[in-house]
Amino acid sequence: MVSRATTVNQALNDAVSLREPQKIHEAMRYSLLAGGKRVRPVLCLAACELVGGSEAMAMPAACAIEMIHTMSLIHDDLPCMDNDDLRRGMPTNHKVFGEDVAVLAGDALLAFAFEHMAVDTAKAGVPPARIVRALGELSKAIGAEGLVAGQVVDIASEGIADVGLEKLEFIHVHKTAALLEGAVVLGAILGGGSDDEVERLRKFARCIGLLFQVVDDILDVTKSSEELGKTAGKDLVADKVTYPKLLGLEKSREFADELNKDAQAQLAAFDPDKAAPLVSLANYIAYRQN
């Protein structure tokens, strides 16, 4: 994780350089380079290599996914959304650059993500058909059938007492898992994986995507803001439905264990040595402390 995250950070720094207009590029870089675990890009690279591809084939897509993830965080923190002041241990983008520039920084990261992935993946020698397929997957993962769908239902569910497990799962499969799934599937497609390999990895990613959110919900009620690097307990304050709220802490932890086992079962058909990084990443997501 540390080694790959360092490589990804360098690639992100190179991709979004400081140029004119300086204000918008400063805002983009402020949030993009503010640290973070880089789970999504590392998953993308690991999936690509699992099916026989190289790091170079997936690095532009890995960076694009992190740009889009950062966009979602910038927009999520805005006063009209979650109204948060802290992200990755630093003031949120709108607190530093203002709401207007924060919105535009997110928009710019989203647009540039597709440009960077399309142009630089082609430079790495990946066949055009794979690139087009991957771009389609990414678009679906973040649009009105993916990340945005989860966000909208999440907003509509605030303060409602009877939000059930089915709706909670819909929110998180779309809001959180969709982009994690996209990261893995993009890596598999760009690396030349077969349809069967891509689908196995899709199922793996869906499980760890939901796992990521279940663990996030648990950490939100068991850790401090200092430990998390973001505001703790904000879901409780916003009266949002979470897994601990519906299932209780113990049942939530059991559900997380079940998701981790289901995810790793999808990797059984692959070479164990090549699948080891993804197994480790699943365990990292399950047992992380922030």
Side-chain angles (χ1 to χ4, degrees):
M1 277 294 291
V2 173
S3 171
R4 283 302 175 93
T6 301
T7 307
V8 168
N9 284 336
Q10 186 57 57
L12 289 168
N13 182 65
D14 294 342
V16 184
S17 58
L18 193 56
R19 51 189 184 272
E20 292 295 333
Q22 283 221 356
K23 184 83 166 183
I24 191 66
H25 288 96
E26 282 174 6
M28 290 163 71
R29 285 171 59 86
Y30 175 82
S31 293
L32 185 64
L33 304 178
K37 297 172 282 291
R38 308 305 191 202
V39 170
R40 292 157 192 79
V42 174
L43 280 167
C44 183
L45 299 176
C48 182
E49 292 179 346
L50 175 58
V51 299
S54 66
E55 180 180 280
M57 295 168 99
M59 186 58 84
C63 289
I65 288 158
E66 192 64 14
M67 291 175 199
I68 290 168
H69 175 55
T70 301
M71 171 277 295
S72 74
L73 300 182
I74 294 172
H75 286 179
D76 206 35
D77 290 335
L78 288 167
C80 63
M81 298 283 277
D82 278 1
N83 193 23
D84 221 325
D85 297 342
L86 193 67
R87 174 69 68 178
R88 291 171 175 170
M90 297 165 62
T92 46
N93 198 288
H94 68 275
K95 286 290 177 184
V96 177
F97 295 96
E99 288 178 46
D100 47 3
V101 174
V103 170
L104 293 171
D107 294 345
L109 283 167
L110 177 60
F112 185 62
F114 283 93
E115 177 189 341
H116 182 68
M117 180 174 158
V119 174
D120 284 53
T121 307
K123 288 178 185 175
V126 177
R130 288 188 205 169
I131 300 173
V132 172
R133 184 182 172 190
L135 287 166
E137 282 280 349
L138 183 56
S139 301
K140 189 172 181 180
I142 64 174
E145 293 180 32
L147 189 151
V148 171
Q151 279 278 29
V152 167
V153 177
D154 189 26
I155 290 167
S157 301
E158 283 183 26
I160 296 175
D162 62 345
V163 176
L165 199 56
E166 190 178 337
K167 185 174 276 190
L168 180 62
E169 189 162 314
F170 177 92
I171 291 168
H172 294 316
V173 161
H174 291 79
K175 184 179 173 181
T176 304
L179 194 55
L180 278 153
E181 181 183 321
V184 173
V185 170
L186 259 60
I189 290 170
L190 296 171
S194 67
D195 287 347
D196 181 62
E197 288 174 325
V198 170
E199 288 314 305
R200 282 183 183 279
L201 287 169
R202 186 189 299 280
K203 289 173 185 172
F204 162 81
R206 197 163 292 170
C207 287
I208 63 165
L210 194 50
L211 170 65
F212 192 96
Q213 187 59 52
V214 175
V215 172
D216 235 31
D217 283 358
I218 292 167
L219 292 174
D220 190 61
V221 294
T222 58
K223 298 288 180 181
S224 68
S225 298
E226 290 72 26
E227 288 171 306
L228 294 178
K230 60 183 180 180
T231 309
K234 65 177 184 178
D235 291 339
L236 198 64
V237 172
D239 199 22
K240 283 190 177 184
V241 65
T242 64
Y243 283 97
K245 189 174 178 180
L246 279 187
L247 302 178
L249 261 179
E250 199 50 46
K251 288 286 185 188
S252 296
R253 289 186 173 120
E254 287 173 16
F255 183 41
D257 287 339
E258 185 183 317
L259 286 167
N260 192 11
K261 285 173 188 169
D262 289 348
Q264 294 190 34
Q266 296 300 324
L267 302 176
F270 294 98
D271 179 295
D273 290 336
K274 288 184 178 179
L278 285 176
V279 171
S280 296
L281 280 162
N283 287 329
Y284 170 79
I285 288 168
Y287 302 120
R288 65 197 173 91
Q289 296 299 309
N290 60 27

